[in-house]
Amino acid sequence: MCYNLVPTSCFTMLAYRLNMITLASTLLSSRKVIALSGADATNLLQATTTNDLGLLSSQPIIYNLLLNPQGRYLADFFVVKGSGYSFLIDVDAANASALLGRLKMYQLRQQVSWDETPNMYVVVGGGAPPVIEGAIIVTDLRL
């Protein structure tokens, strides 16, 4: 299933296959995708991060931060809504393990499962986004 959510001049794509990447696209090897799912996934992200996950009902991607209890920066990332109770987190690869460790620390008894999807890639590009099966395509907020 492919989601062409917003056709724009700049896009971000979370894709499983890279064999159809166009010349106007670039693989961001410095990014990592973490999948978060479970009945309490929304509650966990809402309680531990800075942005309102309710915004995902009106826009396909949101920018979010994880701060320590004193309000200091720990990690920034993008959140994309998946199917059901799932989310995809697009984070800098250097911060991925720290982000995952901190979120797992706050998980406690909540029903949440994690998947550090090594077979999913972050691709950015210009022009019309390519149609790739299984890709989630959204407007790139960084550009």
Side-chain angles (χ1 to χ4, degrees):
M1 182 178 346
C2 183
Y3 300 97
N4 282 324
L5 298 175
V6 181
T8 90
S9 60
C10 299
F11 64 89
T12 296
M13 176 172 51
L14 304 174
Y16 288 103
R17 296 180 346 183
L18 293 178
N19 60 346
M20 298 184 70
I21 300 301
T22 63
L23 292 176
S25 303
T26 302
L27 171 67
L28 296 182
S29 58
S30 64
R31 307 294 294 177
K32 187 166 186 165
V33 178
I34 299 171
L36 171 66
S37 60
D40 296 323
T42 304
N43 294 337
L44 176 67
L45 279 179
Q46 185 68 42
T48 58
T49 60
T50 59
N51 210 339
D52 181 15
L53 293 180
L55 295 173
L56 286 172
S57 62
S58 61
Q59 59 194 47
I61 186 171
I62 60 171
Y63 180 68
N64 219 330
L65 293 172
L66 180 67
L67 305 175
N68 71 7
Q70 290 77 31
R72 293 189 186 107
Y73 167 89
L74 293 174
D76 63 331
F77 52 94
F78 294 98
V79 179
V80 177
K81 180 83 167 120
S83 60
Y85 295 110
S86 68
F87 297 94
L88 295 173
I89 297 173
D90 168 11
V91 63
D92 188 324
N95 292 337
S97 61
L99 171 68
L100 191 57
R102 184 63 67 137
L103 289 175
K104 283 182 178 180
M105 183 177 77
Y106 292 130
Q107 179 180 349
L108 300 174
R109 295 183 188 142
Q110 297 181 22
Q111 294 179 359
V112 177
S113 61
W114 309 89
D115 181 18
E116 294 182 69
T117 53
N119 59 340
M120 186 170 247
Y121 306 94
V122 178
V123 178
V124 296
V131 177
I132 298 177
E133 182 181 342
I136 299 172
I137 300 172
V138 295
T139 303
D140 194 327
L141 300 176
R142 292 169 286 215
L143 304 174

